Amino acid sequence: MGFVEVANLPRTLDGPGFLNFRYDYEVGKTTQADLEKYPGRFTDPRKLESLGVSQLDWYNYTQKTPVTELPSADDLVRTWLSRLELKAPEIENYLIGRTTNWDDIVFQTGLQQDYTVALSNRTDDMYYYWSVGYTEREGVRTDEKYTSFRTRLNLESKVTN
């Protein structure tokens, strides 16, 4: 009996880590000229003060018709997350604070069991060996399971002298 766990596998990003990844991705595929023209374009609008950019200017970066009043705080956050190319369900989950720890859903500590029973005997005219085994193994992924039943029989006899 034993246990198996994930080893040397990078952990899945948590919510903030994933947003940092999306930020780096968007900045990386944007030209330097656009980054200078729209400073803080991919920055969380609640953190624009350190860049010296007003939320209204930041919001108007992507408006066809510039607005004069700021939308709600949720709409600002939606705009930011849309610029990071998150999809509607991801944005809504962010706004209500719902996150998913995929490592807990996908991976597990797997239990491995292996049982074997064997009988054997020898007489002057005959020899036998019989074994029965059962194996049950859970993998590191929650959907992995292997089960086997096995048997073996060896017979040896002396027909005549």
Side-chain angles (χ1 to χ4, degrees):
M1 180 178 260
F3 298 96
V4 61
E5 291 184 334
V6 174
N8 299 322
L9 185 69
R11 303 302 290 177
T12 306
L13 294 174
D14 61 359
F18 181 70
L19 290 177
N20 287 337
F21 164 75
R22 294 303 309 175
Y23 173 86
D24 291 341
Y25 173 76
E26 294 300 329
V27 168
K29 72 176 194 172
T30 304
T31 66
Q32 188 62 36
D34 276 351
L35 291 174
E36 290 171 6
K37 184 177 180 181
Y38 304 111
R41 178 179 179 183
F42 304 110
T43 302
D44 183 339
R46 298 165 291 191
K47 299 177 181 176
L48 289 172
E49 288 179 14
S50 63
L51 299 175
V53 177
S54 75
Q55 287 182 337
L56 184 61
D57 290 340
W58 177 88
Y59 182 75
N60 281 326
Y61 288 165
T62 53
Q63 301 303 309
K64 289 182 181 174
T65 305
V67 298
T68 57
E69 288 186 30
L70 276 176
S72 70
D74 280 354
D75 286 339
L76 283 174
V77 172
R78 277 188 179 87
T79 300
W80 166 54
L81 296 173
S82 294
R83 289 179 186 174
L84 296 179
E85 295 186 39
L86 269 65
K87 305 300 179 218
E90 295 170 315
I91 293 170
E92 294 310 312
N93 284 334
Y94 179 87
L95 291 173
I96 62 174
R98 181 184 302 147
T99 60
T100 302
N101 185 336
W102 289 106
D103 288 335
D104 288 346
I105 292 172
V106 174
F107 299 111
Q108 68 181 357
T109 298
L111 175 64
Q112 297 189 351
Q113 306 173 67
D114 194 347
Y115 304 98
T116 304
V117 174
L119 299 170
S120 66
N121 195 13
R122 180 179 296 272
T123 65
D124 288 339
D125 295 330
M126 188 166 135
Y127 166 76
Y128 68 87
Y129 172 87
W130 180 50
S131 68
V132 176
Y134 173 77
T135 299
E136 184 176 302
R137 294 186 177 155
E138 295 174 340
V140 294
R141 285 195 356 228
T142 56
D143 64 341
E144 291 179 326
K145 188 169 185 177
Y146 169 77
T147 304
S148 74
F149 177 77
R150 61 197 180 279
T151 186
R152 176 179 172 180
L153 177 63
N154 292 356
L155 289 175
E156 202 178 292
S157 69
K158 187 190 275 187
V159 178
T160 66
N161 287 333

